[in-house]
């Protein structure tokens, strides 16, 4: 099984911590988000990982070399221009289509989240449902919700405060709004369905596919620890959670 870590973003919300390094290398309790994510994937049994990089890409390459890739085979997909989450995956698609694992689902993981979400459970549910993609979601507050029907199938999104703007790709009364965790399990057959070009959001692509009837499933992960590492305050809280033993990484 293989995985991709999305690490190309500028980390603007993390400034000044990202003034001289990518967000993947910001220190959290003596470790980095990249180390934490790679270690979790390795412990799950994944030893082939591709990482996209743009902001301070050379520092990511040098860091991986110095750490011997943390015992994982790693490739770096450099982006001269930021391609966003969907464009980044499209550029790296050939990594998942090479034998011998080209028929297996793969994990897509944002580098700037830390969690205890169970990968094995995600894979098992993904395979049982024959889903095109399975997204770990939680019932928590956010400014960007995904909308699901009673069968946990993606049907839209809602952004902004006080109800914000709603986009539905299938008519549905009272859809359930849930927050996306930044962790996906994806079937490789999705890669041939990508028609978007340049920089684009993978969520926009999911919505397009969900509107055609493809199964994009939300999997509830409320019981697991999860934290966004997108701000200095959240990084400090994650470090406190690690040091206090609330989360073990």
């Amino acid at each position: 099984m293989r995985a991709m870590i999305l690490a190309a973003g500028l980390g603007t919300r993390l400034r000044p911590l990202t003034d001289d390094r990518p967000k993947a290398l910001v220190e959290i309790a003596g470790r980095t988000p990249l180390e934490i994510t790679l270690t979790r994937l390795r412990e799950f049994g994944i030893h082939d990982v591709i990482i996209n990089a743009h902001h301070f890409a050379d520092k990511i390459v040098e860091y991986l070399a110095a750490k011997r890739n943390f015992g994982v085979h790693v490739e770096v997909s450099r982006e001269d221009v930021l391609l966003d989450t969907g464009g980044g995956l499209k550029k790296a698609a050939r990594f998942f289509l090479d034998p011998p694992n080209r028929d297996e689902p793969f994990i897509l993981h944002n580098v700037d989240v830390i969690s205890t979400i169970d990968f094995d459970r995600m894979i098992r549910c993904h395979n049982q449902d024959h889903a095109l993609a399975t997204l770990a979601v939680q019932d928590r507050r956010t400014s960007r919700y995904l909308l699901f029907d009673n069968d946990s199938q993606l049907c839209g999104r809602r952004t902004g405060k006080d109800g914000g703007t709603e986009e539905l790709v299938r008519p549905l009364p009272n859809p359930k709004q849930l927050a996306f965790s930044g962790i996906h399990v994806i079937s490789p057959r999705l890669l041939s369905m990508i028609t978007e070009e340049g920089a684009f959001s993978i969520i926009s692509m999911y919505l397009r596919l969900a509107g055609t009837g493809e199964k994009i499933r939300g999997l509830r992960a409320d019981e697991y620890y999860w934290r966004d590492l997108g701000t200095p305050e959240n990084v400090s809280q994650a470090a406190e959670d690690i040091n206090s033993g609330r989360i073990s990484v």
Side-chain angles (χ1 to χ4, degrees), residues 211-235:
T212 68
E214 292 291 344
K215 187 178 287 188
I216 312 295
R217 185 180 192 271
L219 179 65
R220 294 290 290 270
D222 301 309
E223 66 269 39
Y224 300 104
Y225 176 94
W226 181 92
R227 186 169 296 281
D228 166 42
L229 303 175
T231 67
E233 295 76 18
N234 282 355
V235 167

Side-chain angles (χ1 to χ4, degrees), residues 5 11 23 27 41 59 70-71 78 83 90 94 126 133 141-142 147-148 167 184 205 232:
I5 299 174
K23 61 184 178 181
E27 186 170 307
L41 292 169
K59 289 197 173 185
F70 297 98
R78 290 177 178 262
L83 297 174
K90 182 175 182 177
R94 55 96 193 147
H126 176 85
R141 294 186 65 180
T142 182
L147 304 177
F148 297 87
E167 174 188 356
H184 334 220
M205 181 182 70

Side-chain angles (χ1 to χ4, degrees), residues 160-212:
K161 298 179 180 179
D162 301 321
T165 302
E166 183 173 284
E167 174 188 356
L168 284 173
V169 295
R170 286 187 291 114
L172 185 72
N174 303 316
K176 177 67 175 178
Q177 63 177 27
L178 295 166
F180 179 41
S181 73
I183 303 172
H184 334 220
V185 175
I186 300 173
S187 294
R189 61 189 179 90
L190 175 140
L191 300 172
S192 65
M193 300 178 184
I194 301 176
T195 58
E196 292 81 358
E197 300 289 343
F200 61 93
S201 162
I202 196 169
I203 298 300
S204 296
M205 181 182 70
Y206 284 154
L207 289 169
R208 174 179 63 80
L209 292 168
T212 68

Side-chain angles (χ1 to χ4, degrees), residues 2-6 49-53 75-79 83-98 106 108 191 194:
R2 295 174 179 175
M4 180 173 185
I5 299 174
L6 295 171
V49 180
I50 191 165
I51 302 167
N52 70 336
E75 294 186 24
V76 176
S77 175
R78 290 177 178 262
E79 296 179 9
L83 297 174
D84 206 340
T85 50
L89 174 60
K90 182 175 182 177
K91 185 176 187 294
R94 55 96 193 147
F95 180 80
F96 301 104
L97 298 175
D98 291 339
F106 59 90
L108 186 64
L191 300 172
I194 301 176

